[in-house]
Amino acid sequence: MRRIVIARPGGYEALQIVASPTPAPGPGQVRIAVAAAGVNYADGIIRMGLYESAKRLHGYPITPGFELAGHIEAIGEGVEGWSIGEPVVAVTLFGGYASHVCLPADRVFPLPPSLGLEQAAAIPTVFLTAWFMAERQVHPEPGDDWLVHSAAGGVGGALAQLGRAAGARVVGVVGGAHKVDAARTAGCREVVVAEGDWWRRVEALAPAGFDAVFDANGVRTLAASYAHVKPMGKLCIYGFASMLPRDGRLNWAKLAWDWLRTPRFMPLAMTRDNRSVMACNLSFLSAEAALLARGMRELLDRFASGALVPPPVTTFPLERAADAQRAIESGRTVGKLVLVP
Ligand SMILES: NC(=O)c1ccc[n+]([C@@H]2O[C@H](COP(=O)([O-])OP(=O)(O)OC[C@H]3O[C@@H](n4cnc5c(N)ncnc54)[C@H](OP(=O)(O)O)[C@@H]3O)[C@@H](O)[C@H]2O)c1
């Protein structure tokens, strides 16, 4: 098998391709011949050595990758219901950037016939994250106003689709005019390009504020995001990308300064305002197999029926994982990036 290994945190050069014997699946596992592995913004944070769950739950050396699609190639002891050659999509806590992966069978799901393997590999992480926030935290109602930052990206695009499907009026914010069409296609009724006095344009679209604001920028927008939540509304925090570099070079002074500037939310003010702050990290929910399986089944059913559509996908060969990470960290990509072993 071939896989990408990060021996020690570092720049893009830390992503090395390594060959090793193909593992046999253990009891309760299946081995998947990977056709496509999703790339997530978090994978670069793992490379930088800043991703908390990678440090706490795994350590280095590490192979990044939270999701993949491919074919069942071997079946471990005690596993029933799968046959060799069956196409599948799977959720994994690291290890996805590889040609072969052994996984517990409860992390593996049948590929809906309507999805290609590259499309399927683009779905689990961003849609599960969006699903968790929408279904478990926000509980949307038709007519709700949502504000989704980075609405042309992976999680942002998934949120826009889930919001529209729930009847919410989704306003998307994007970092460049080239992303507007993708955000609209994903489900945004209005799209604001984050240039100039863009919060004024956001306010004009929802003068009373938003029932839900989804923010993975961190310090750059967090205080204003909270200020634009209306009473009884929720701010969902799920990332901090604006602390991080767009060129792969960590700036520790900026990181420290941004950490100091990150808003601390005041329970007294939140109570007075009737506004809530929610937060989530999918990788720290990886032990919640039943929850993730429920989310995956619900989502895949909706993809199978055509109610959800996969994001636009850009592919890179596995050995160009560094270029894929460079691209997603540039902040210029739309949709999802996928590695093809
Ligand atoms: N908590 C969780 O469980 C969870 C799960 C998945 C992802 N996430 C987080 O969700 C965010 C999106 O992840 P994704 O994989 O779907 O990526 P993505 O949205 O496809 O790409 C990242 C986007 O973030 C925006 N951004 C803001 N500041 C940036 C910076 N300094 N450098 C680069 N991009 C920046 C850019 O969009 P605009 O310029 O259009 O704003 C960029 O296109 C990330 O922060 C990630 O860590 C969290």
Side-chain angles (χ1 to χ4, degrees), residues 7-154:
R8 255 170 272 102
Y12 300 112
E13 73 290 344
L15 297 161
Q16 293 291 328
I17 192 143
V18 168
S20 56
T22 305
Q29 292 189 332
V30 295
R31 187 174 73 222
I32 300 167
V34 178
V39 175
N40 289 282
Y41 187 80
D43 302 340
I45 313 179
I46 294 169
R47 190 201 70 242
M48 295 174 208
L50 298 175
Y51 206 67
E52 206 54 32
S53 64
K55 290 190 281 186
R56 281 207 224 166
L57 306 179
H58 192 286
Y60 293 74
I62 189 168
T63 294
F66 291 110
E67 57 199 350
L68 55 100
H71 296 94
I72 301 272
E73 196 182 54
I75 298 174
E77 197 187 310
V79 177
E80 287 174 5
W82 293 109
S83 42
I84 304 292
E86 209 171 330
V88 292
V89 53
V91 180
T92 171
L93 184 63
F94 317 118
Y97 285 28
S99 63
H100 298 78
V101 171
C102 290
L103 281 179
D106 63 1
R107 305 297 160 119
V108 180
F109 306 88
L111 183 82
S114 58
L115 292 181
L117 289 162
E118 291 165 4
Q119 292 175 317
I123 287 170
T125 307
V126 295
F127 272 90
L128 275 175
T129 305
W131 173 84
F132 181 79
M133 289 190 279
E135 301 298 321
R136 300 295 294 247
Q137 296 186 320
V138 166
H139 309 293
E141 293 189 7
D144 278 357
D145 286 301
W146 280 20
L147 182 68
V148 175
H149 290 286
S150 307

Side-chain angles (χ1 to χ4, degrees), residues 41 129 150 154-155 175 179 216-217 238 241 244 246 280-282 329 331:
Y41 187 80
T129 305
S150 307
V155 182
K179 299 183 174 185
N217 291 322
Y238 65 101
L244 296 169
R246 289 177 186 263
C280 77
N281 183 298
L282 194 68
E329 287 163 29

Side-chain angles (χ1 to χ4, degrees), residues 154-180:
V155 182
L159 281 166
Q161 276 208 62
L162 294 184
R164 178 173 61 183
R169 292 186 296 244
V170 182
V171 173
V173 181
V174 295
H178 69 288
K179 299 183 174 185
V180 170

